Amino acid sequence: MRIHLGTGAYVCMSCGEKGGDVLAYHMRSTGLGFVEAARKLGAYEDDGKPHEGATRPNPISARVLLQSVAGELMVACMVASDCAKGRQISEEDWQRIKTAAARITYVAGIANAK
């Protein structure tokens, strides 16, 4: 799989499958619809109001997705640093590290899906 970091477009080097963004890739690889795939990526929030405006989604570029993972890794590093220094980790920090780990694992699963 090759992903263009500027546009988020992808192409599978083995089968030739290609598409426009991370959301399209996730939809294709998992068979999910738009809303469910966007929810799984953390890119959809239902506010309960009827939809107004454009019907096409804004694409999620690979660069944005990688920046999100980088942010989650920074959180993990900060908590690990505190642990290494013998500091007590608060329950809030533990919950944040669990969330970060889950997000990183999920993105890795998407990237490795066939």
Side-chain angles (χ1 to χ4, degrees):
M1 180 69 60
R2 297 226 175 173
I3 300 175
H4 186 279
L5 295 180
T7 65
Y10 66 89
V11 63
C12 177
M13 302 312 283
S14 61
C15 72
E17 176 78 30
K18 52 183 155 179
D21 61 21
V22 172
L23 184 57
Y25 173 73
H26 186 56
M27 289 170 61
R28 187 72 161 198
S29 66
T30 62
L32 296 173
F34 168 75
V35 172
E36 189 59 30
R39 281 186 179 136
K40 292 280 187 181
L41 290 172
Y44 183 89
E45 187 175 311
D46 188 1
D47 60 6
K49 297 177 185 175
H51 176 72
E52 296 177 8
T55 57
R56 289 189 54 100
N58 291 331
I60 302 170
S61 73
R63 181 179 304 275
V64 170
L65 193 58
L66 290 171
Q67 287 171 338
S68 297
V69 169
E72 299 300 341
L73 287 171
M74 181 61 71
V75 169
C77 289
M78 290 169 51
V79 173
S81 174
D82 283 349
C83 286
K85 293 174 184 172
R87 295 188 181 134
Q88 186 71 15
I89 304 302
S90 70
E91 182 61 31
E92 182 180 349
D93 284 343
W94 278 119
Q95 291 304 318
R96 184 65 182 100
I97 194 81
K98 289 177 188 177
T99 299
R103 288 177 178 163
I104 292 166
T105 301
Y106 187 75
V107 170
I110 294 168
N112 294 320
K114 294 186 181 193

